[in-house]
Amino acid sequence: MACFKRTTVILLCLFTLGGCANQRPASHAELTTQEDILLKSKNYSGLISLYRGWLKNKEDSAVRLKLSQYYYQIGDYSSSLLYLQPLATSADPNVPLLQAKNMIAMGDQAQAIRVTDRMLQHDPRSAEAWNLRGIAMALSGKLPESVQAIQKSRDLFIADEVAINNLAMVALLDRRYQDAVSLLLPQYLRGQRQPRLVHNLVLALVKVGDTRYARDIIQSEGLSGYPDEVVDALEQIGPLQKGMA
């Protein structure tokens, strides 16, 4: 169980943040201006303070959703879910999507699957819901169902890099390391350099024994100044756990 929990944390990092607002905005125009400044500096804590200050005086569902999104961004999943609760009956599909993301991050895969199932009852063509359902299935150890869900999200035109990376993660969970390389390497050679894709590719290359290429990627992408140590550490990682029985 403990091993599975540690693996879940690793996989959440692999599957595909400070400051305060100085003055409470008096209008939506001022709110937007302060948002833009904080977003440009990626000051997520400042954005949280900004939105909390606004909601303290006036309820606004759009601002509440943004607040919940940035709590998710900084990894405070319980707070994100807490501030989403008043929006539970909202028709905005972004609300259950964010709920499912938080539940996956907290390790509550069963509840995440229930949320995505409800979403798909309302909109069977939601690529995002199928993708999240696939991730939750994978982390529950239901790998064939996970592949089907992620493939469905791809059929519905979720971004290719999202679907391919998640299919590669399922392959890693299933110890199909060569399949993971076959999925990720063409993307990498076509110029895709998303951190999760690169990290997963390096792990897959190490697992198939191509440590020289893994070291080259670590060096060329600036992942570490100590590529040999990284490769050695990855070689020591045992088979990833599929999930709980």
Side-chain angles (χ1 to χ4, degrees):
M1 178 73 73
C3 181
F4 172 70
K5 288 182 178 178
R6 289 195 297 271
T7 300
T8 298
V9 172
I10 293 171
L11 292 176
L12 286 173
C13 294
L14 297 175
F15 258 113
T16 115
L17 294 169
C20 298
N22 294 323
Q23 185 177 359
R24 184 176 298 156
S27 66
H28 266 290
E30 289 185 18
L31 179 69
T32 301
T33 298
Q34 290 191 29
E35 278 179 332
D36 289 343
I37 294 170
L38 293 166
L39 281 170
K40 286 176 181 177
S41 61
K42 296 184 179 180
N43 187 344
Y44 300 127
S45 295
L47 285 162
I48 286 172
S49 296
L50 177 68
Y51 299 142
R52 285 175 61 91
W54 182 269
L55 290 169
K56 186 175 181 179
N57 293 306
K58 183 180 180 180
E59 178 59 35
D60 185 314
S61 59
V63 172
R64 180 176 288 278
L65 180 58
K66 289 179 180 179
L67 174 64
S68 299
Q69 288 170 333
Y70 284 108
Y71 269 120
Y72 173 79
Q73 289 276 82
I74 65 169
D76 189 346
Y77 309 120
S78 58
S79 292
S80 181
L81 284 173
L82 173 68
Y83 289 108
L84 271 178
Q85 284 181 352
L87 303 178
T89 59
S90 169
D92 186 344
N94 290 307
V95 172
L97 279 174
L98 185 54
Q99 287 177 325
K101 288 179 180 178
N102 279 296
M103 291 163 183
I104 290 170
M106 295 174 73
D108 192 353
Q109 312 307 335
Q111 184 61 21
I113 291 169
R114 284 192 285 271
V115 169
T116 56
D117 283 348
R118 287 197 297 270
M119 291 184 65
L120 291 168
Q121 287 176 358
H122 292 289
D123 181 9
R125 296 186 58 79
S126 172
E128 293 81 3
W130 280 110
N131 180 61
L132 290 177
R133 189 177 192 276
I135 294 171
M137 285 284 186
L139 294 173
S140 299
K142 301 173 182 178
L143 302 187
E145 297 95 327
S146 170
V147 170
Q148 291 173 5
I150 296 169
Q151 288 284 20
K152 181 67 174 178
S153 77
R154 196 176 186 190
D155 292 342
L156 294 170
F157 300 104
I158 201 166
D160 266 345
E161 60 268 22
V162 171
I164 290 171
N165 186 69
N166 288 344
L167 288 170
M169 274 309 308
V170 176
L172 289 171
L173 279 168
D174 206 22
R175 307 178 193 180
R176 294 182 286 108
Y177 304 121
Q178 188 58 59
D179 287 351
V181 171
S182 297
L183 284 164
L184 297 171
L185 186 55
Q187 297 293 308
Y188 180 77
L189 295 176
R190 285 199 289 269
Q192 296 290 343
R193 296 292 190 273
Q194 293 87 351
R196 291 175 185 175
L197 184 150
V198 175
H199 294 164
N200 288 341
L201 176 58
V202 168
L203 175 58
L205 286 168
V206 170
K207 287 300 184 182
V208 299
D210 196 346
T211 55
R212 185 176 67 176
Y213 197 9
R215 287 187 183 91
D216 289 345
I217 292 176
I218 292 168
Q219 289 179 315
S220 63
E221 299 299 329
L223 301 182
S224 171
Y226 305 94
D228 289 338
E229 286 83 349
V230 172
V231 169
D232 290 344
L234 292 176
E235 285 182 319
Q236 300 306 311
I237 295 176
L240 301 177
Q241 298 296 309
K242 293 183 181 182
M244 295 177 290

